[in-house]
Amino acid sequence: MQTAGENRIRIAIAGLGNCASSLVQGIEYYRIKESCDEESSERYGGSRGNSDIIGLMHRDLGGYHPSDIEVVAAYDIDKRKVGKDVSDAIFAPPNCTTVFCSGVPATGVEVKMGRVLDGCSEHLVDYPEECRFLLSEAEEATKENVIRTLRSSGAEVLLNYMPVGSEQAARFYADCALEAGCAFINNMPVFIASDPAWARRFEEKALPIIGDDIKSQLGATIVHRTLADLFKKRGVKVERTYQLNTGGNTDFLNMLNRSRLKSKKTSKTEAVQSVLAKRLEVENIHVGPSDYVPWQKDNKVCFLRLEGKLFGDVPMNLELRLSVEDSPNSAGVVIDAIRCCKLALDRGVGGVLYSPSAYFMKHPPKQFPDDEAYSMTELFIAGEK
């Protein structure tokens, strides 16, 4: 088993938006925390457990710590990011997430021009420049360019952070990962890991893949699933439910184009339907983004309602309002997904990682209740499954 710091996990990122910003900030933030804890431990004695640092599901995951993750390649299409060091690009507009670690040191990794394809919705031109993408005039990357960069950088895991609705762009980067010999984490609601044809391709190449559509650490979908599961276990019949979300980041702006929402709505709805005692008719469940509120920036506000019947068919309802910073809320989950991919690479395991996918993703190839998916993932980390 590797010990922390003994080996690096080299990642590449496609899409330097708010989520990538939180991830890169988090790697440095927890590196600093680890360093301070090590100094304190040496000075005062004592051991460091897996629950010592706030905000991580796993401080140590199979011998790897967040500080072992290193960004070695990055791609974007915005002229305010392309050509800059990753440490600068993550704070460039239209990014608007919380800055919780401003002192991210230079990485020495220049953001390369990616491939646009359907990664930029045409309706964005109707909004102010500071809210949307500004396409770089640099020549678009070819598949060969991306593969060459991934190989020369030594990237082991490629993260897909394309905008919702970017079906072609997501598949482009998945294809590049296969050709370059990289594991793939599909954080977005384009069905790749849950598509048997794509899953088979990663299995044939002996490359791990985790997907699809990242869950937040404590976000709208995981709370909705938990409540739905609670109703089921307590014998309460769910008759109707909705999840309404508003936010002011580029993701919500992008989703104003409803034609790009099909896979997102499918992913979020199925995440809830899969834990209900009985699937609801389409007209009785609504799960999905609702509107773009610019001043909310990266804050996401979720309104949940569940209506049901108790003992004796007596009606009841539950309403909940959840407010979270959207991008940091998913970064810790991605940090665990990265480390699970690295463990699979170390063990020579390829194809879909079913247990981590079920725990980390909204639309995995196989859905499991969250407590079961958690136990399965712990077994995977321990090397028992």
Side-chain angles (χ1 to χ4, degrees), residues 368-377:
F368 294 90
D370 292 295
D371 53 354
E372 189 175 342
Y374 168 77
S375 298
M376 291 165 56
T377 301

Side-chain angles (χ1 to χ4, degrees), residues 75 142-154 176 180:
Y75 310 91
T142 63
K143 181 180 174 182
E144 291 71 27
N145 293 150
V146 175
I147 293 169
R148 183 165 55 251
T149 306
L150 289 172
R151 286 175 174 166
S152 63
S153 67
C176 290

Side-chain angles (χ1 to χ4, degrees), residues 238-242 280 283-285 305-308:
V238 177
E239 295 191 319
R240 286 179 293 274
T241 187
Y242 67 59
L280 295 174
E283 64 268 21
N284 291 326
I285 182 169
R305 181 178 175 90
L306 292 95
E307 298 180 3

Side-chain angles (χ1 to χ4, degrees), residues 146-192:
V146 175
I147 293 169
R148 183 165 55 251
T149 306
L150 289 172
R151 286 175 174 166
S152 63
S153 67
E156 300 168 281
V157 185
L158 174 59
L159 278 60
N160 174 35
Y161 274 129
M162 291 294 102
V164 170
S166 305
E167 302 270 344
Q168 296 173 32
R171 292 190 175 97
F172 169 80
Y173 285 107
D175 207 28
C176 290
L178 280 165
E179 293 299 317
C182 295
F184 192 68
I185 299 176
N186 184 34
N187 296 306
M188 307 312 293
V190 172
F191 304 142
I192 296 176

Side-chain angles (χ1 to χ4, degrees), residues 62-129:
Y64 292 102
H65 289 216
S67 56
D68 294 319
I69 301 170
E70 177 185 7
V71 181
V72 296
Y75 310 91
D76 205 275
I77 59 173
D78 194 299
K79 69 180 183 181
R80 292 162 294 190
K81 299 174 183 179
V82 174
K84 290 186 176 180
D85 189 277
V86 167
S87 61
D88 294 322
I90 59 172
F91 299 116
N95 290 6
C96 59
T97 192
T98 298
V99 177
F100 59 88
C101 186
S102 58
V104 176
T107 63
V109 176
E110 179 187 296
V111 179
K112 303 292 185 185
M113 178 61 182
R115 191 72 174 271
V116 180
L117 296 170
D118 55 356
C120 184
S121 179
E122 61 277 2
H123 80 285
L124 297 184
V125 298
D126 298 327
Y127 290 84
E129 289 186 355

